[in-house]
Amino acid sequence: MNLKEFASRIGLSATTVSRAMSGYPEVRPETRARVLEAAETLGYRPNISAQRLATGRAGAIGIVFQGGGRFGPHSSEFMGGLSTRLQRDGIDILVSTVETEEEEMAAYRRLAASKRVDAVILHTPTRKDKRIALLQTLGLPFVVHGRSEAKKPFAFLDIDNFGAIAKATRHLAGLGHRRIAFINGDTANTFAHDRQDGYCAALAEHGLTPDSTLMSHGEFTDETGFRLTQCFLGLPSPPTAIIAGSMMSALGAMRAIRVAGLSPGTDVAIVAHDDVFPYLSPENLVPAVTTTQSPIRAAGERIGDMAVRLLQGEEPDSLQEVWPVELIVRDSTRPAPA
């Protein structure tokens, strides 16, 4: 059926139906919910081209990935969640890849000028991210996956990275571990900076002094986890526990521990931050891995929802969330060897 027929069936004007399905902020939430429910029941789908022409919207959200290393398992899971949510509103995703920071900034300028997207998703922010200031200057709506310092408020979703690694460190210190290594990301990024702060704060709570030889940084890959753990185990006083910034890093760390003739969990305890991959289950590894858990696919869905609400007129400072992180204790963390 067409718009006019659908509107007649549910007793509303065609204008009201069109505005409700396009997310106009002046349409009452209960009216929009009624229209969407009726559309689902009756199988009505709007003419997307006509809808975009009428609203002046592109019907797409943009996301820019810089460098090949930034698009991996984490990105795939996040994009799956984001796509799931945006599909409900008939919104497409426009993905761009660039190699340098300058190219990324240029990409945002092109997106704003061409009006090919209604908003963008910004990820992996630094503590003082120039991209945020640029997008605010351009007037291009955006949601950030993470946090950053900025003069004006902006919409964001983050996890408690400080609390996540602090919990992991306290858990290991409470088991008697005194040499606790940490595989982190680049501390120019907010999430890694917060994780390092949480690690150092928890060590201090237990009277332990951070040791720079036990703190390493790199991409969250199996290979990086393997190489960094080899370096840790080669120290004159090697660690008895390792915190890995992701499950991918933890796989490499466990491999390095076994190559050294040691046993993960028994000789060297392991905690991993787990973004919940459907194909990699920490409880099915040997030993089952203790994790600080936060589902990245759910984060993608939530950020998609926040982007839709932003386009419906909600203020950025009302769209700011920090999710707590749960510590799930399994067999890979045992008391420190005597």
Side-chain angles (χ1 to χ4, degrees):
M1 67 185 75
N2 61 31
L3 172 62
K4 187 175 180 180
E5 292 168 337
F6 174 64
S8 177
R9 287 280 296 271
I10 65 174
L12 293 172
S13 71
T15 300
T16 298
V17 169
S18 177
R19 287 177 174 269
M21 298 200 76
S22 299
Y24 275 81
E26 62 265 27
V27 178
R28 291 183 300 174
E30 56 269 29
T31 300
R32 183 170 187 268
R34 174 188 165 191
V35 170
L36 294 177
E37 183 179 356
E40 186 67 27
T41 301
L42 298 174
Y44 171 72
R45 294 292 182 270
N47 183 314
I48 297 299
S49 297
Q51 188 180 58
R52 291 174 182 176
L53 184 63
T55 61
R57 289 185 180 171
I61 299 291
I63 186 165
V64 181
F65 289 99
Q66 182 191 137
R70 290 207 181 177
F71 196 93
H74 297 83
S75 302
S76 298
E77 279 300 293
F78 177 82
M79 292 294 287
L82 180 65
S83 176
T84 296
R85 173 59 187 90
L86 294 180
Q87 282 179 1
R88 298 210 307 262
D89 282 69
I91 297 174
D92 298 323
I93 303 174
L94 178 64
V95 178
S96 300
T97 57
V98 297
E99 293 301 322
T100 66
E101 180 181 342
E102 291 74 19
E103 290 178 352
E104 184 173 357
M105 301 291 268
Y108 293 128
R109 293 188 183 95
R110 285 196 305 273
L111 290 173
S114 66
K115 301 189 184 302
R116 287 191 295 161
V117 298
D118 301 309
V120 296
I121 307 301
L122 194 153
H123 59 93
T124 324
T126 59
R127 296 173 65 198
K128 294 185 178 180
D129 204 301
K130 294 186 290 185
R131 298 173 297 175
I132 291 174
L134 173 64
L135 291 170
Q136 290 176 331
T137 299
L138 294 172
L140 183 58
F142 64 96
V143 181
V144 180
H145 186 201
R147 279 177 284 179
S148 181
E149 300 173 14
K151 293 181 179 179
K152 294 181 183 178
F154 58 88
F156 69 80
L157 170 67
D158 198 8
I159 63 169
D160 181 9
N161 283 292
F162 178 100
I165 301 305
K167 282 182 181 179
T169 308
R170 290 189 195 106
H171 172 62
L172 292 168
L175 290 172
H177 294 278
R178 293 296 177 263
R179 298 280 291 171
I180 303 171
F182 181 30
I183 300 174
N184 197 9
D186 184 350
T187 52
N189 298 321
T190 307
F191 82 90
H193 182 272
D194 289 349
R195 289 181 182 186
Q196 182 166 295
D197 282 352
Y199 168 77
C200 292
L203 288 177
E205 289 172 13
H206 286 80
L208 303 174
T209 302
D211 182 342
S212 61
T213 64
L214 295 179
M215 292 186 282
S216 290
H217 314 275
E219 297 287 344
F220 290 145
T221 64
D222 172 273
E223 181 64 20
T224 299
F226 178 78
R227 296 301 176 195
L228 294 179
T229 300
Q230 281 192 319
C231 292
F232 291 145
L233 297 178
L235 292 172
S237 181
T240 60
I242 297 174
I243 300 171
S246 79
M247 274 301 302
M248 305 307 292
S249 305
L251 288 177
M254 292 170 72
R255 185 159 57 93
I257 292 167
R258 290 190 172 101
V259 166
L262 302 172
S263 175
T266 302
D267 298 310
V268 184
I270 292 281
V271 180
H273 180 70
D274 179 23
D275 285 316
V276 189
F277 302 114
Y279 46 81
L280 182 58
S281 207
E283 61 266 28
N284 292 334
L285 296 175
V286 180
V289 178
T290 295
T291 58
T292 54
Q293 194 171 82
S294 178
I296 195 168
R297 179 172 284 263
E301 287 196 46
R302 185 59 172 168
I303 284 179
D305 186 66
M306 294 170 81
V308 171
R309 290 163 59 190
L310 191 66
L311 294 175
Q312 290 172 353
E314 291 196 36
E315 293 297 322
D317 57 2
S318 69
L319 298 169
Q320 299 178 336
E321 298 181 12
V322 179
W323 286 3
V325 177
E326 183 181 4
L327 176 68
I328 302 175
V329 178
R330 300 186 179 94
D331 292 342
S332 69
T333 49
R334 301 173 191 174

